[in-house]
Amino acid sequence: MSLIGRHLLSIDSLNRAELEELLAIAKRLEPVAKRQMRCDVLQGAVLANLFFEASTRTRMSFHTAFARLGGAVVDTTGFTFSSLSKGESLEDTARVIAGYADIIAMRHPEEGSVAQFAAPINVPVINAGDGAGEHPSQALLDYYSISKEFERLDKSIDGMSIAMVGDLKHGRTIHSLCKLLSLFNNIKFRFIAPDNLRAPASLIALLKTRGHEVSECDSLAAGLPHSDVIYATRIQRERIQGGEEMEGYGEQFRINAAAITRHAQPDTVIMHPLPRDSREGAFDLATDLDRLPQLAIFRQADNGVIMRMAIFAAILGVADRLEAHFAPLTLYRPARLSDHDADFYTFD
């Protein structure tokens, strides 16, 4: 297996052996992510971080991951401050940026646009989200997160049950994670959403074709019991025209402490790609879950740096010499990032 020099545009480009190799690289990089070690394996390399759609976590974690491996980062955010606002084509922009950077991470609001950008160049491009299409690095960090949580719980991804709740139609994180999990065996998918926000029929057909059990539910009571993982996602308001598709999505779909107590197991892992929509009427993941140890959303966000370091190491061909570039990091770091974190989640 070799990811060296390859674009990462879709989970479809990876097989299970490559997923497991990325997981192994990520585990080797945990001392760097925990700030116990520094690493300069990418010293002299440049990442172009091109975000033409709003982002906090993804943009900053790509930047942080590259910096923690010793590389330099150049950023652009939004259309206003790019030549695309002057009518330049994606192809011309790609050719120019390829002359500046060793690898490119790109987010764009239009589905298929990152693939269009990557097509004319040989510098590797990572899809950091393209409209309602895919978000492969998010799926990879979710995979790493599930693996870490299951390691603690002595569970396996093969045979797991996952309940996905929220905007399953427009949620690109859902689409990519489902494709990734479909490479494992005997997964039970429970999709919980009103009719207007159901998962794409093509995605459901893919999962069934690969031998997985799929059910679509219209209530938490039907979909949450016996789930090993609950994956909630916000309503993608920015991708919904008019708002009619949101009809029927209300408090009955909200994951809160009462729903977990009533329908879930004590060790069910609760995930969310963030950001969590805290506005009134959003019915997103409730804050009354925040002190539950099975809430993994902040561990999940932290894991973005680890997995994105692994992606950079694999694509830029330095995975075989990471430890040779390790050195102790003697800066202050807290033992825990927050006193609200689960007791088992420490940086020691």
Side-chain angles (χ1 to χ4, degrees), residues 144-155 229 269-271 293-296 299-300 303 344-345:
Y144 174 84
S145 298
I146 293 170
S147 177
K148 290 292 290 184
E149 298 293 322
F150 280 13
E151 188 178 290
R152 176 175 58 83
L153 297 169
D154 196 26
K155 292 185 176 184
V229 174
V269 178
I270 305 167
M271 300 177 64
Q294 65 264 45
L295 184 76
R299 299 192 290 274
Q300 186 183 352
N303 290 339
F344 58 80
Y345 186 57

Side-chain angles (χ1 to χ4, degrees), residues 48-105:
N49 223 18
L50 309 182
F51 278 71
F52 301 110
E53 185 179 52
S55 173
T56 303
R57 268 152 298 279
T58 304
R59 179 173 57 83
M60 289 189 67
S61 68
F62 269 116
H63 192 137
T64 301
F66 209 76
R68 289 209 181 277
L69 293 179
V73 183
V74 290
D75 283 288
T76 188
T77 306
F79 286 99
T80 304
F81 302 105
S82 80
S83 292
L84 293 174
S85 67
K86 303 174 183 177
E88 184 174 58
S89 68
L90 280 173
E91 290 82 357
D92 282 3
T93 301
R95 175 58 187 85
V96 171
I97 302 302
Y100 300 157
D102 301 288
I103 192 166
I104 300 165

Side-chain angles (χ1 to χ4, degrees), residues 309-322:
M309 282 195 290
I311 292 168
F312 288 136
I315 292 177
L316 291 175
V318 298
D320 61 343
R321 54 186 186 273
L322 292 173

